[in-house]
Amino acid sequence: MKNQYVSELTNGSIINSAFVVSKKQISQKKDGSSYCRLELQDKSGKIKGVLWTETLERTKDFQVGDYVFVRGEVSLYGDELQANILTLQKIQDLKKVDLSDFIRTCPKDVKEMFSRLLSLIRSMKNPFLRDLLLKFFLDESFSDSFKKAAAAITYHHSYSGGLLEHTLSVCETCDHMAAKYSNVNRDLALAGAILHDIGKVHEYKVGVVIEMTDEGKLLGHIAMGHQMVAEKINEIEFFPADLRTHLLHILLSHHGQKEWGSPRCPQTLEAFLVYHADTLDADIGSFNLLIDESPNSDWSRYARNFERRVYLKFVSDQPYKEGDTEVGSEPDVESHRVNDHWSEEKDRLFVLDNNSSDNSSQY
């Protein structure tokens, strides 16, 4: 049933395969007739699609999360691929569906990543921060949810296991930078990195598709994460008040700007570090998703989070050709002398030209 994947689709491709519906929106034309915009998904990616009026009228009702068999053709809409759907039929017999074909999961080993995260936690010297983190991550129910959670719905690490992958990357970046800058409190930065997105465990519901929970829509992961960490801190006797304030500040400020959802802007060194490490990993994660979406293209579609299209082609490490100056080779001294002489001559001509110009034209 599943014989074609989103990542294989190109302009002009004929679609004849099963997908899961990840988005659906009924809209109206100027003449009052209805049409449907949707998004189709499998484990390799997503593609936007459209059912025009006649197709929609003869299509039986379907919902987000339904498995559907689709026939149609791929075309370009702006700079994005779009599925022009001719027929869409809901799959009733789910025994014919292999869930692994449709659910997007982290390409990395979740067990290995979680082991690395625990090792970083256990390497902390501050007993209060170490105990706080172990209260979360040695809780089997919480850790199972954390390992399955997504970091986002669309832009970065938007698949099961994505939250763990993103968190570990942010944490390892902070660990590296703490080794580089001696005035960074390593344990505080690591704790902030590990906990910064902890509210996403409850913000998103991860199934065949990723959806935002009602709690997530009303509160958001920053507020939920702040509450989760504050409550857990209260369970630890003698937890230092200033350490609590600094840690919670990292959580509240990790989006960087108030207009980006942060109740506070970063105002401590560790908060700055977590914010930049988080942004860097999210941007690279988004870039990699664009590469996965368009494996045969040099340029991505317009990416709203970047406000631009991005160039996807890798720079290959070509060997030096004969005559090229290699790294470490002796420079061409005579060429430098000629260039230096010409630079001096241009400077002399520039001065002469300025001295002879009409000074009244300066303003």
Side-chain angles (χ1 to χ4, degrees):
M1 180 171 288
K2 184 62 178 168
N3 50 27
Q4 193 177 39
Y5 290 91
V6 170
S7 61
E8 299 168 350
L9 300 177
T10 59
N11 186 26
S13 293
I14 302 300
I15 303 173
N16 188 39
S17 190
F19 302 90
V20 65
V21 179
S22 54
K23 289 182 183 178
K24 176 188 176 183
Q25 179 182 343
I26 302 295
S27 302
Q28 285 192 324
K29 300 179 186 177
K30 292 180 180 179
D31 64 6
S33 60
S34 297
Y35 68 99
C36 177
R37 291 198 175 277
L38 51 76
E39 187 176 69
L40 301 172
Q41 171 190 307
D42 60 29
K43 68 178 182 180
S44 73
K46 301 176 182 179
I47 186 171
K48 292 179 180 178
V50 60
L51 287 88
W52 296 115
T53 304
E54 291 183 4
T55 306
L56 181 62
E57 287 176 349
R58 65 173 183 264
T59 301
K60 292 183 179 180
D61 190 38
F62 64 94
Q63 302 298 329
V64 171
D66 285 345
Y67 297 92
V68 293
F69 195 88
V70 174
R71 290 185 175 88
E73 185 177 359
V74 178
S75 62
L76 279 175
Y77 180 74
D79 60 356
E80 287 190 76
L81 293 177
Q82 176 178 274
N84 296 309
I85 298 170
L86 301 178
T87 65
L88 182 148
Q89 184 177 2
K90 182 177 176 180
I91 299 171
Q92 302 292 345
D93 186 1
L94 296 184
K95 292 180 181 178
K96 297 180 180 179
V97 174
D98 184 348
L99 295 181
S100 65
D101 285 331
F102 301 91
I103 299 177
R104 303 184 73 195
T105 57
C106 181
K108 298 178 181 177
D109 188 326
V110 169
K111 184 177 179 180
E112 189 270 338
M113 288 192 297
F114 190 72
S115 176
R116 282 159 57 190
L117 190 68
L118 285 179
S119 294
L120 283 167
I121 293 172
R122 291 189 170 115
S123 73
M124 292 182 179
K125 297 178 180 179
N126 187 298
F128 296 101
L129 293 175
R130 185 176 61 243
D131 291 350
L132 171 65
L133 292 166
L134 291 176
K135 277 183 175 291
F136 279 110
F137 290 95
L138 292 185
D139 181 310
E140 188 173 346
S141 176
F142 172 82
S143 62
D144 284 347
S145 297
F146 189 87
K147 285 184 278 190
K148 294 174 183 176
I153 293 178
T154 303
Y155 291 125
H156 72 95
H157 304 89
S158 51
Y159 40 73
S160 178
L163 179 59
L164 172 58
E165 181 186 14
H166 171 62
T167 298
L168 179 62
S169 181
V170 175
C171 189
E172 289 180 336
T173 297
C174 288
D175 191 30
H176 174 78
M177 298 307 289
K180 182 176 178 63
Y181 297 102
S182 60
N183 57 333
V184 171
N185 184 319
R186 174 184 182 268
D187 288 358
L188 178 58
L190 291 189
I194 293 170
L195 297 173
H196 80 282
D197 273 347
I198 199 168
K200 289 184 176 180
V201 170
H202 302 304
E203 184 176 37
Y204 300 127
K205 178 183 178 183
V206 179
V208 178
V209 297
I210 301 168
E211 299 176 282
M212 190 170 282
T213 63
D214 291 340
E215 189 180 12
K217 292 175 183 177
L218 293 171
L219 300 177
H221 74 277
I222 292 180
M224 289 190 288
H226 178 276
Q227 182 179 357
M228 291 167 66
V229 173
E231 288 176 352
K232 197 69 73 174
I233 286 174
N234 290 339
E235 298 176 10
I236 301 175
E237 193 173 12
F238 305 120
F239 197 99
D242 61 337
L243 186 61
R244 177 186 187 275
T245 299
H246 277 258
L247 178 59
L248 293 178
H249 173 70
I250 294 175
L251 271 65
L252 292 175
S253 65
H254 78 268
H255 277 192
Q257 302 289 339
K258 291 182 179 179
E259 56 266 35
W260 297 340
S262 270
R264 289 289 181 268
C265 297
Q267 293 175 279
T268 66
L269 183 56
E270 291 74 23
F272 269 101
L273 177 53
V274 172
Y275 156 61
H276 284 291
D278 177 39
T279 303
L280 175 64
D281 189 66
D283 282 350
I284 292 177
S286 296
F287 202 105
N288 286 336
L289 284 179
L290 291 171
I291 292 173
D292 293 341
E293 279 182 14
S294 308
N296 301 314
S297 300
D298 288 349
W299 287 91
S300 75
R301 59 173 171 79
Y302 180 84
R304 286 192 297 171
N305 54 321
F306 293 143
E307 298 182 335
R308 75 203 73 169
R309 297 173 69 199
V310 297
Y311 190 58
L312 304 176
K313 195 172 182 180
F314 290 105
V315 177
S316 59
D317 293 326
Q318 295 292 340
Y320 286 99
K321 297 178 183 178
E322 187 176 352
D324 287 347
T325 302
E326 297 185 10
V327 176
S329 63
E330 289 297 322
D332 185 347
V333 177
E334 187 59 36
S335 174
H336 281 285
R337 285 176 183 155
V338 171
N339 289 336
D340 289 345
H341 174 74
W342 173 233
S343 179
E344 291 171 2
E345 184 65 14
K346 284 194 295 184
D347 290 343
R348 186 181 70 81
L349 292 173
F350 177 76
V351 171
L352 289 173
D353 184 59
N354 279 351
N355 288 338
S356 62
S357 63
D358 182 0
N359 290 332
S360 65
S361 65
Q362 293 181 22
Y363 303 101

